[in-house]
């Protein structure tokens, strides 16, 4: 049946999205007032995507770990460094085939995730301890492989998979046309999928939002997509890495919301004992979450070495904090069992806009860290207070 519209619930559900819009407009006003360009400059939008690609990738995996009960993975930054070191050694130093090298890197990331997942899921060592040990171990191995040196540059046939743009032309008219066409097609596919999802819910008797509310939500999303497409079309076109991000976000959103194994993650975070008694192999669910995190860390590593065009011992520093912060800012619960991939992505964009906006304004790096810390604390406090109010009501 159709749901009723509640302004309070609607605002609560979209708090971070509204906050993101407000922060972007605030930064734009401050940047324009200071005559320092524009946050919405086409080149800057493209730069935002490239700079924060690793955050989106890591946040998608970190969310699965958090869903299992508020657990986190502190080792992702070190895994990025290690896999990047292996990629640099294979591709640059040893001149290995780039496809075989990328496959080796992905398998390595998965193996590291499985190693940590084994201790967490089957030996029942706390995730904090296992991943803290991993943070030290994998960083140390990366330093040993690189011998403290940086490897660069990577070959062009590798870089094109992560740093190039589509369409591959210098014709501005073609670039704008293709980019806008991609945006229109994306909007059409999204709208159709949402309508089909609504029809299926109504057929099964599930509660659905008001049709007018759905139309308003879809309109806002499509306008944002088309605006971003227009801005990208005025620069170099669609970053190839954006396509990779879209695939990851869609795949993990579908997995967590539409599949049985995905729902097991929420069940585990909600009540592990009840989940186990219902016949779900909770050890396997926990193992999967951390093995998957290792795999996505390897994907992030391949993206990062391409962006920096080098493999460095210091790569991945504090990446775990960015991923964890994105998830909590995006609405994931500190207790587990609550959160969406879409929310984590909004959190990642929020963090990216904060970094980019403050950098353009010339704010000291130390103040930037302080602001990000306050934002993260505010998000968790909001979650904890909301949970207490729900229990008492």
């Amino acid at each position: 049946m159709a749901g009723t519209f509640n302004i309070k619930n609607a605002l609560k559900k979209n708090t971070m999205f509204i906050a993101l819009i407000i922060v972007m407009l605030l930064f734009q006003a401050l940047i324009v007032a200071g005559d320092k360009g524009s946050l919405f400059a086409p080149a800057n939008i493209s730069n935002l995507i490239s700079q924060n690609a690793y955050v989106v990738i890591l946040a998608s995996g970190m969310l699965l770990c958090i869903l299992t009960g508020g657990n986190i993975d502190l080792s992702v930054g070190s895994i990025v460094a290690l896999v990047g070191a292996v990629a640099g050694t294979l591709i640059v130093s040893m001149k290995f085939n780039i496809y075989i090298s990328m496959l080796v890197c992905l398998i390595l990331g998965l193996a590291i995730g499985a190693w940590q997942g084994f201790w967490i899921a089957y030996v029942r060592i706390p995730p904090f301890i296992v991943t803290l040990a991993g943070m030290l171990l994998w960083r140390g191995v990366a330093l040993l492989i690189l011998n403290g040196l940086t490897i660069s540059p990577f070959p062009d046939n590798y870089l094109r998979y992560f740093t190039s743009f589509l369409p591959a032309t210098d014709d501005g008219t073609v670039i704008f046309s293709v980019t806008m066409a991609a945006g229109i097609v994306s909007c059409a596919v999204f709208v159709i999928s949402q309508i089909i999802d609504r029809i299926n819910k109504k057929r099964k008797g599930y509660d659905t939002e008001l049709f007018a509310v759905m139309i308003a939500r879809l309109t806002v999303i499509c306008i944002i997509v088309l605006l971003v497409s227009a801005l990208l079309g005025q620069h170099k076109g669609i970053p190839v890495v954006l396509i990779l991000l879209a695939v990851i976000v869609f795949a993990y959103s579908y997995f967590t919301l539409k599949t049985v194994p995905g729902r097991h993650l929420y069940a585990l975070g909600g009540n592990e004992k009840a989940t186990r008694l219902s016949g779900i192999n909770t050890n396997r669910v926990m193992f999967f979450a951390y093995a998957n995190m290792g795999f996505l860390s390897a994907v992030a590593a391949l993206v990062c070495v391409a962006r920096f065009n080098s493999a460095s011992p210091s790569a991945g520093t504090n990446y775990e904090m960015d991923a964890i912060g994105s998830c909590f800012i995006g609405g994931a619960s500190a207790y587990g069992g609550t959160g969406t991939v879409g929310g984590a992505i909004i959190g990642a964009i929020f963090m990216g806009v904060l970094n980019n906006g403050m950098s353009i304004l010339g704010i000291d790096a130390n103040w930037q860290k302080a602001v990000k810390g306050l934002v993260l604390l505010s998000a968790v406090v909001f979650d904890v207070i909301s949970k207490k109010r729900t229990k008492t009501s």
Side-chain angles (χ1 to χ4, degrees):
M1 62 178 182
T4 56
F5 180 64
N6 186 305
I7 295 179
K8 184 178 179 180
N9 289 339
L11 290 175
K12 184 177 179 180
K13 185 177 179 181
N14 299 284
T15 299
M16 287 314 304
F17 181 73
I18 296 171
L20 173 62
I21 299 299
I22 293 173
V23 167
M24 292 182 75
L25 294 176
L26 176 62
F27 272 125
Q28 175 67 4
L30 292 173
I31 292 169
V32 171
D35 195 25
K36 296 185 177 182
S38 172
L39 182 69
F40 300 111
N44 193 50
I45 296 298
S46 182
N47 189 43
L48 262 173
I49 294 171
S50 300
Q51 282 183 340
N52 296 283
Y54 78 90
V55 186
V56 173
I57 296 170
L58 294 177
S60 298
M62 189 67 71
L63 177 70
L64 271 59
C65 297
I66 293 173
L67 287 177
T68 61
N71 302 305
I72 56 176
D73 189 335
L74 295 174
S75 68
V76 295
S78 297
I79 297 175
V80 167
L82 173 56
V83 173
V86 172
T89 301
L90 293 177
I91 297 174
V92 180
S93 301
M94 302 178 69
K95 310 295 182 185
F96 266 38
N97 178 279
I98 62 168
Y99 304 107
I100 296 176
S101 299
M102 285 192 286
L103 180 61
V104 169
C105 289
L106 293 175
I107 293 174
L108 174 61
L110 182 61
I112 292 173
W115 164 264
Q116 295 186 156
F118 168 77
W119 296 109
I120 294 168
Y122 295 102
V123 185
R124 285 294 169 172
I125 299 175
F128 182 88
I129 301 301
V130 173
T131 59
L132 178 61
M135 181 174 70
L136 301 173
L137 172 61
W138 310 128
R139 178 73 62 180
V141 175
L143 287 167
L144 289 172
I145 292 175
L146 294 174
N147 197 27
L149 304 175
T150 297
I151 297 177
S152 66
F154 280 73
D156 291 337
N157 62 339
Y158 173 78
L159 297 178
R160 67 179 180 178
Y161 289 108
F162 302 102
T163 61
S164 59
F165 295 83
L166 294 176
T169 178
D170 294 327
D171 190 327
T173 303
V174 173
I175 291 174
F176 186 81
S177 300
V178 172
T179 305
M180 286 304 298
I184 292 171
V185 170
S186 299
C187 288
V189 171
F190 177 69
V191 169
I192 292 172
S193 67
Q194 290 294 297
I195 293 174
I196 292 174
D197 186 56
R198 178 184 175 85
I199 292 172
N200 289 333
K201 284 183 177 179
K202 293 193 72 172
R203 184 184 297 124
K204 296 175 182 178
Y206 295 157
D207 191 24
T208 57
E209 64 185 341
L210 287 175
F211 186 72
V213 176
M214 185 188 78
I215 293 298
R217 177 171 57 83
L218 295 180
T219 300
V220 171
I221 293 174
C222 288
I223 288 174
I224 292 174
V225 171
L226 293 177
L227 284 175
V228 172
S229 298
L231 291 171
L232 291 176
Q234 295 174 45
H235 185 50
K236 296 181 180 179
I238 304 170
V240 172
V241 72
L242 180 59
I243 299 174
L244 172 63
L245 297 182
V247 171
I248 290 175
V249 171
F250 173 79
Y252 281 84
S253 294
Y254 184 85
F255 173 77
T256 53
L257 299 176
K258 301 293 184 181
T259 68
V260 174
R263 302 312 297 179
H264 287 172
L265 290 164
Y266 289 91
L268 176 59
N271 189 320
E272 181 176 356
K273 185 175 180 180
T275 302
R276 188 187 306 113
L277 292 174
S278 67
I280 297 172
N281 189 329
T282 55
N283 290 345
R284 186 183 300 165
V285 175
M286 184 73 79
F287 176 82
F288 166 78
Y290 280 90
N292 173 76
M293 187 71 256
F295 173 78
L296 285 182
S297 297
V299 175
L302 295 176
V303 171
C304 288
V305 294
R307 176 172 173 260
F308 295 117
N309 197 16
S310 64
S312 168
S314 62
T317 303
N318 291 330
Y319 280 15
E320 59 277 354
M321 301 307 170
D322 290 332
I324 294 167
S326 297
C327 292
F328 286 135
I329 290 172
S333 172
Y335 302 107
T338 302
T340 63
V341 173
I345 302 313
I346 290 176
I349 297 173
F350 193 96
M351 296 279 280
V353 169
L354 278 180
N355 288 332
N356 189 259
M358 289 190 290
S359 296
I360 294 176
L361 289 172
I363 296 175
D364 184 83
N366 295 320
W367 277 108
Q368 291 186 34
K369 292 179 181 178
V371 170
K372 288 164 65 177
L374 287 173
V375 169
L376 175 57
L377 178 61
S378 299
V380 177
V381 168
F382 177 79
D383 170 59
V384 172
I385 294 176
S386 297
K387 284 285 191 302
K388 287 183 178 179
R389 286 180 177 176
T390 302
K391 289 180 180 179
T392 56
S393 61

